[in-house]
Amino acid sequence: MSLSTLLRSTTRALALCVLVLAALPSITMATPYFEDGFLGLSQQELHEKLGRPQAVRDRKSALRVFTYYPITDWATYFSKLVSPENGEDVYTFTREGIEIRYSFSYAVDLNGDDENRPLIVRLVDIEFPHPVPMTRLPSLIPEFHPSSDPTSPTFRSNIWVLLFQGPASPDARFIVKEPGKDQLDWTLCFQLFSLQGLPDRLTRESRIDRVEIGAQSVEFITRRLRHTHEPTLNPFSAQFEKQPISPPRSLKAIPVPRYAE
C-alpha cells in the first residue's frame, strides 16, 4: 500500500471516529436546577463544593426528630444499616457571629445500579439556634436572593411564609414527590418558618427560626392548597412597607354563664 493511500485511509478512519463520538450523548456534570446552586447537585458534587460534612443525621419519625452521627461513624457503620437517602449531610457555618446549620436531603436516582445509586439534592434545611429578623436572612444565607417584585407569588400561614423565585425548571420534577408532578411547573421556593408563630400583620422584623430551599408549584398551591396558603404581598418588595395599617380586629367577648343563687 502506498503512503498516499495509507494516509487517505487513516484520514477517513479518523473522520469516522469523530462522527461516532459526536453522535454519542455528551457526559457532563449535573448542574443545579435553580439559582440557589444546590438543588439538583449530586451528593458527590455537593461534597466537592462544600467539603466533607461534619455530621449526618437520620430522621426517626415523621416529626422533626433526628439522630446525629459523626461523619466517620456514619461512613464506617450506620450508613450500612439504612437506605443511603435516609442520611442527611450536615454542615455548620458561622456568619455574623451566628452559627447556622445546613442539612441536605436527597432523592435517589433509580437509574443507577442497586449498590451505588446516585443521590440528588432535593431539599436544603437551614436552621438558626435563635430566631432572627426576616430582614437579616439575605446576609446570613448567601443562597437567599429574594425578589423585590411585589407581584412575585407569595403565600403565608400563621407559622410560615412561602416565597417563589425565578423561572420554573422542567428538570426539577425529579426531586418532587407529588402525584401528577409531570403536568405542573416547579419553581425555586424559600419557606421561612417561625416556630412561635407570625403576627397577623407581617413585618420584616418578624422572627424566623428555619428556612427551607426546595421546589414548589404555584399552580399546585392555588388548586389544591388554597385553604392553607393565603396569598400575601412579597415582604421584600418596596410596596410592602407602604401598606396601610389595618385596624385591629375586634374580639368577641366570651359569654359568661349565669348561675342561680
Side-chain angles (χ1 to χ4, degrees):
M1 181 183 294
S2 65
L3 179 61
S4 60
T5 302
L6 179 61
L7 289 175
R8 284 196 297 271
S9 300
T10 303
T11 302
R12 285 196 295 269
L14 290 174
L16 180 60
C17 289
V18 170
L19 291 174
V20 171
L21 291 174
L24 293 174
S26 60
I27 301 175
T28 58
M29 299 296 285
T31 56
Y33 298 149
F34 305 110
E35 64 185 64
D36 70 292
F38 288 134
L39 299 181
L41 290 183
S42 69
Q43 186 180 46
Q44 178 182 350
E45 290 167 331
L46 180 70
H47 291 179
E48 292 172 355
K49 182 175 182 175
L50 297 183
R52 195 183 193 192
Q54 286 91 24
V56 175
R57 72 182 188 183
D58 178 25
R59 188 185 295 266
K60 292 301 180 185
S61 68
L63 301 176
R64 291 184 58 80
V65 178
F66 300 96
T67 300
Y68 288 80
Y69 304 93
I71 184 63
T72 52
D73 293 348
W74 177 265
T76 57
Y77 179 70
F78 291 103
S79 63
K80 300 176 178 60
L81 302 180
V82 299
S83 300
E85 66 272 20
N86 285 359
E88 298 183 8
D89 287 331
V90 179
Y91 295 82
T92 302
F93 305 96
T94 300
R95 298 174 183 143
E96 300 181 10
I98 299 176
E99 190 175 273
I100 306 170
R101 182 169 60 197
Y102 281 60
S103 301
F104 294 86
S105 300
Y106 296 100
V108 181
D109 187 350
L110 299 178
N111 295 321
D113 58 71
D114 293 338
E115 295 184 356
N116 191 25
R117 295 177 296 178
L119 300 177
I120 306 300
V121 177
R122 69 172 186 86
L123 185 72
V124 185
D125 188 1
I126 304 171
E127 300 168 282
F128 301 101
H130 304 288
V132 299
M134 188 187 302
T135 187
R136 294 191 63 185
L137 294 180
S139 63
L140 293 174
I141 305 176
E143 301 79 21
F144 180 53
H145 303 286
S147 171
S148 59
D149 184 354
T151 64
S152 180
T154 306
F155 301 85
R156 66 158 294 175
S157 74
N158 60 335
I159 60 169
W160 49 251
V161 178
L162 199 62
L163 303 168
F164 281 84
Q165 181 77 21
S169 169
D171 294 334
R173 295 188 178 106
F174 174 78
I175 61 174
V176 177
K177 296 183 177 180
E178 297 293 343
K181 61 183 180 181
D182 293 336
Q183 284 72 48
L184 300 172
D185 292 328
W186 299 90
T187 306
L188 174 65
C189 196
F190 300 100
Q191 192 160 6
L192 321 180
F193 289 88
S194 175
L195 300 182
Q196 300 302 318
L198 294 170
D200 289 340
R201 178 174 169 78
L202 187 66
T203 73
R204 292 180 183 171
E205 296 302 316
S206 298
R207 297 279 176 165
I208 301 300
D209 301 87
R210 186 166 64 89
V211 176
E212 283 187 0
I213 303 177
Q216 293 275 6
S217 168
V218 175
E219 187 178 6
F220 180 83
I221 288 175
T222 53
R223 279 186 182 181
R224 307 185 195 179
L225 304 178
R226 59 186 180 275
H227 298 301
T228 57
H229 292 59
E230 177 186 350
T232 188
L233 188 63
N234 179 5
F236 292 92
S237 66
Q239 288 81 350
F240 181 79
E241 294 292 340
K242 300 177 182 178
Q243 295 180 97
I245 300 177
S246 56
R249 292 182 297 180
S250 59
L251 300 178
K252 294 183 178 181
I254 299 176
V256 178
R258 294 184 178 182
Y259 300 97
E261 293 182 0

